């Protein structure tokens, strides 16, 4: 075990953003546990990283939409004291409209993007908190705050990732557990083919290279950012959005309905 950095467990590490996290974290000195369904692709990623970095890389093929497979990864997170980082990256999207989308595909998306991310976090958090050390990186999306852009269930799953991360950060303050949520914009990976719209159908100026995205997200992590949005150039936009949310928070629960909701006769009486 690498005592300095420990081991990072990365889901969805067989391609795209997850494979790049694996490469970059190994270069930073982490040993790795790589999770995805495709054992052959995981082996390719693992072999390339071992060759380049000499780090210890283990592959754990698992379908995180399958309860039994998911449980094996949860058990590993809960029991392996060498794990210091969880990158909840595995996810699928859709560009289908509600009137066209198959509801079973929507359920599969919720199962992976929401249920698996939640259960893996629930396995890691007590272990990290007990050790006073650990990092959870949750990969959301800009659709968490712009759900009109793609499929609504996809946007909803990523809004869950953002909200859940906000709560984790709040609850775990002072425990030594670092939480980061990353909101990528369009990124050039296989995601788009699987989601139903090839990435070359998008205007080039809105698509980021996956290595640029991951490198930027890791700069955000090193800066101890909570929310990292690599494509948002004007950081004050998010700060203003967040300040408005925080300012409103104390006004959202009151004993009386707002004046605009009073029935006409009550207003008159
Ligand atoms: P990707 O290249 O398609 O990678 C998705 C990864 O998830 C693959 O390693 C895939 O591996 C794994 N995966 C899919 N279903 C799985 C399952 N049931 N169990 C375990 N692993 C599973 O796409 P990506 O762009 O890197 O996506 C990574 C994350 O970034 C996702 O959460 C996505 O929502 C988010 N994101 C992407 C973009 C974008 O524009 N690309 C933008 C915002 C957010 P196997 O097929 O081998 O299982």
């Amino acid at each position: 075990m690498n005592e300095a950095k420990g081991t990072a467990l990365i889901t969805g590490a067989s391609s795209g953003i997850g494979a790049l996290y694996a490469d970059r974290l190994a270069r930073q000195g982490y040993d790795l546990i790589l999770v995805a369904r495709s054992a052959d692709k995981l082996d390719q990623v693992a072999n390339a990283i071992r060759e380049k970095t000499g780090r210890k890389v283990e592959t754990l093929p698992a379908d995180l939409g399958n309860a039994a497979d998911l449980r094996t990864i949860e058990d590993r997170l809960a029991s392996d004291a060498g794990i210091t980082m969880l990158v909840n990256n595995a996810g699928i999207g859709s560009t289908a409209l509600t009137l066209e989308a198959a509801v079973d595909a929507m359920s599969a998306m919720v199962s992976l993007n929401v249920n698996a991310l939640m259960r893996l976090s629930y396995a890691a958090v007590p272990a990290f908190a007990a050790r006073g050390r650990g990092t959870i990186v949750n990969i959301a999306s800009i659709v968490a705050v712009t759900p009109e852009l793609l499929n609504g269930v996809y946007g909803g799953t990523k809004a869950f990732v953002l909200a859940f991360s906000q709560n984790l950060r709040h609850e775990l303050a002072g425990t030594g557990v670092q939480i980061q949520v990353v909101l990528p914009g369009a990124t050039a990976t296989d995601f788009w083919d699987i989601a139903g719209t090839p990435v070359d159908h998008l205007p080039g100026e809105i698509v980021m290279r996956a290595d640029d995205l991951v490198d930027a997200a890791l700069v955000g992590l090193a800066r101890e950012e909570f929310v990292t949005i690599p494509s948002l150039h004007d950081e004050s936009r998010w700060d203003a959005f967040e300040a408005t949310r925080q300012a409103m928070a104390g006004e959202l629960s009151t004993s009386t309905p707002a004046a605009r909701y009073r029935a006409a006769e009550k207003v008159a009486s």
Side-chain angles (χ1 to χ4, degrees), residues 28-265:
Q28 286 187 12
Y30 285 88
D31 291 330
L32 303 175
I33 300 172
L34 306 181
V35 178
R37 290 168 303 180
S38 327
D40 51 343
K41 285 199 208 164
L42 282 179
D43 282 341
Q44 282 172 22
V45 172
N47 286 336
I49 291 173
R50 282 187 205 107
E51 209 165 287
K52 265 190 280 188
T53 67
R55 298 245 62 93
K56 193 175 154 210
V57 186
E58 185 182 349
T59 59
L60 288 182
D63 179 350
L64 298 176
N66 171 288
D69 280 12
L70 180 55
R71 183 54 64 95
T72 63
I73 310 301
E74 290 172 52
D75 289 348
R76 182 64 183 269
L77 279 164
S79 63
D80 184 342
I83 298 175
T84 55
M85 183 183 293
L86 166 63
V87 182
N88 269 317
N89 163 77
I92 47 173
S94 169
T95 57
L97 301 172
T98 303
L99 291 178
E100 298 164 353
V103 72
D104 288 346
M106 301 294 103
S107 285
M109 187 159 57
V110 171
S111 171
L112 179 63
N113 296 9
V114 173
N115 186 57
L117 181 141
M118 178 276 292
R119 293 196 65 102
L120 296 179
S121 300
Y122 263 71
V125 161
F128 288 177
R131 296 197 289 272
R133 176 189 183 202
T135 302
I136 298 180
V137 177
N138 286 333
I139 306 299
S141 163
I142 58 157
V143 299
V145 292
T146 54
E148 299 87 350
L149 280 181
L150 301 177
N151 171 272
V153 176
Y154 180 58
T157 66
K158 295 303 185 177
F160 170 87
V161 175
L162 175 60
F164 180 53
S165 303
Q166 283 167 322
N167 176 271
L168 283 180
R169 179 208 189 205
H170 172 72
E171 284 193 21
L172 296 172
T175 62
V177 182
Q178 184 182 359
I179 306 291
Q180 183 197 27
V181 61
V182 180
L183 277 61
T187 309
T189 68
D190 296 345
F191 170 92
W192 288 95
D193 282 328
I194 296 164
T197 304
V199 73
D200 56 16
H201 289 205
L202 305 179
E205 63 272 18
I206 69 158
V207 180
M208 190 175 287
R209 283 169 43 142
D211 54 354
D212 286 342
L213 181 277
V214 172
D215 288 336
L218 287 168
V219 170
L221 185 67
R223 291 177 69 196
E224 300 189 354
E225 281 185 1
F226 165 58
V227 175
T228 296
I229 310 177
S231 34
L232 183 65
H233 287 245
D234 182 355
E235 193 180 11
S236 71
R237 292 277 197 206
W238 178 268
D239 293 342
F241 180 73
E242 181 61 11
T244 300
R245 188 181 75 84
Q246 300 270 3
M248 190 174 55
E251 301 171 21
L252 289 172
S253 187
T254 57
S255 58
T256 51
R260 67 187 175 284
Y261 300 121
R262 283 187 205 138
E265 60 275 20

Side-chain angles (χ1 to χ4, degrees), residues 13-30:
S14 63
S15 66
I17 293 168
L20 282 154
Y21 263 102
D23 176 79
R24 299 309 196 258
L25 291 175
R27 289 171 196 247
Q28 286 187 12
Y30 285 88

